[in-house]
Amino acid sequence: MKEETRTSLGGMRAGRRTVLKGFAGAAALAGMGQSALAQQAKEAPALAKLVADGKLPALAQRLPATPLVIQAEKVGVYGGALRRGLRGSADHNGILRLVGNQGLVRWNLAFTEVLPNVAEKWEVNATSTEFIFYLRKGMKWSDGKPFTADDVVFSIEDCAKNTDLFKTPPGTLVISGKPVVASKIDETTVKFTFPASYAMFLEQLATPLGQYPTLYAKHYASQFHPKYNSNVAAQAKAANLSDWTALFRSKCGDIEIPARWGNVDKPTLDPWVVTEAYTGGVTRVVMDRNAYFWQVDQSGQQLPYIDKLSFSIAQDVESLMLDALSGKLDIQERHIDSLQNKPTLSQNQQKGGYRLVELEATSAQQVQIYLNLTHKDPKMREMFGNKQFRQALSLGINRKEIIDLVYLGQSEPYQTGPRPGHPWYNEKLSRQFTNFDPKQANEILDKIGYAKRDAQKFRLRPDGQRVFFSIDVIPTLYPDAVDTLELVKRHWADIGVDMKVNTIERALFYTRGDNNDHDGATWPGPGGLDPMLDPRDYFAQHPQGSRYAIPWTIWFASNGKDGQEPPESQKQRKKLFDEALATADLKKRGEAMKKVFDLCADAYETIGVCLAVNTFGIVKNNLQNVPKKYPNSWTWPNPGPALPQQFFFTRT
């Protein structure tokens, strides 16, 4: 075995190390805690009172023998309630990004290295097929019950690999089409065995979708599982739910569904636990500190410093902006970080008592347009499936106008692929068809069968129907995408293509995608600085995110049993990506991924607008230990890896 292989992403992120240099120590690992820390640690006054009243065990009995020691920039003080805003009924990831980052491992602040977290160390064999994780002895769930290897094995073998709960095992747990096997070595040691090399497994575990090993407490969740409770079907029926899986999800949640935060009784490993649940019709979600949280600062104080989190639920972005401007939000970037809002928020910093922090763009694309290549309508599928049609649409976009008007000149035309400066940057993938050439666009459309036009000058398909489709967009998440699409709509009308900007609520956006009911959709294109962790635009990898061909993602995930068979180029890219995942050799990994990018460029499946731009967030002046700059990414689910448990309020 090779001891504690805390793999860096090496050359892949050499550029970002320079970009982010200077703040990586704000929340870094100080070292493995000693058992003495559990004896000497301090705790929040409210918890100390509960201990004194005999209502809570002493802190030494609540902490693991080796708590994770966080080197806070400043040793904090206890108290306060942190206020943050959510938008609407399906903004659950706004909670996840602040709270839910308690996996076996975690990212460092610079997004360059995987660090110990729930697991205090690990071993990896020479072929990267076996990973042994050593858990923290004496660690407990939020209800005080022990957290052990049994919980990890239950979460993987009984839940993540259960074909009733999950049609296919989560992709982070699969290599070469086969899932991991999790096995218990002893109470605090668990082994993960893969059928093939999986050199990127630790990095995958550090992402939000890598949280399955620590998501479910066996002593609680097993009561909703038929393997452990023969009456669970009857319980589901009594709760007016369709089956045991619906009951399980409502009680135990999943990584990315509202129900994760909808049950105050569910034990977690998070710094705060839900006390006012995220359920339909509520106007706020409240979380209180976890008395059994397993981290301390360098002085031995148990984290978190902050007593309570309060998530207000706004009905529109304007309400969130008003709350920000009036000083009613303590940390917020989600929903208010459009460049159009920056001047207003900058001018009102003193009045609102807040400062701005910079969020470094990690995505490749600000607005990626995904036409549905697997459309249910064969005529639409034929039209979208014509690469020349997509090329013509791209040439018909005036990107300079969009960048000037929507992004205040702070971007450049871009398709997709690793960002400029990345070692794997691919010029063709990133820049092809980004020049504004309506003359060429019109010539292509005429040539491929759309020369005839109706009375409004819109083109007609060979069957006589107008060339028309809609693009789904979530205005509450991406108001800039709405503005961008309105300009694209005008540009495309000039070349005879009729498009509707379909603004819809987030839950409906996902439902339409899941059912393959959409013509097209938009989302920020990922993979700019982390192409191995979020390759959804390079092949149909993400069951919700690869919106140009979700049935292809289902085919890949099910090993061809479900969904629609993708073209050969997609299969080649999936094979090359699996080869890249399997190797720890960065040179070989890069060679495989460059082939993926070349194939992706040739296929030209999605249409990009412009390179993702840096954004910003607001932080109240009295909230401390928040970095001045940090990544803006789903795979580094900001601000979670900055460790909000070590944020604190200064006393006034």
Side-chain angles (χ1 to χ4, degrees), residues 1 255 352 355 361 369 379 408 529 543 577 587 590 607 610:
M1 293 292 187
I255 290 174
R355 62 191 184 274
I369 297 172
K379 297 294 185 181
L408 310 181
L529 286 181
F577 181 76
K587 182 180 179 181
I607 302 170
C610 61

Side-chain angles (χ1 to χ4, degrees), residues 293-310:
F293 193 57
W294 40 278
Q295 297 178 10
V296 299
D297 69 13
Q298 62 266 41
S299 72
Q301 292 188 118
Q302 186 190 27
L303 299 174
Y305 293 133
I306 290 172
D307 292 334
K308 188 186 298 285
L309 305 181
S310 180

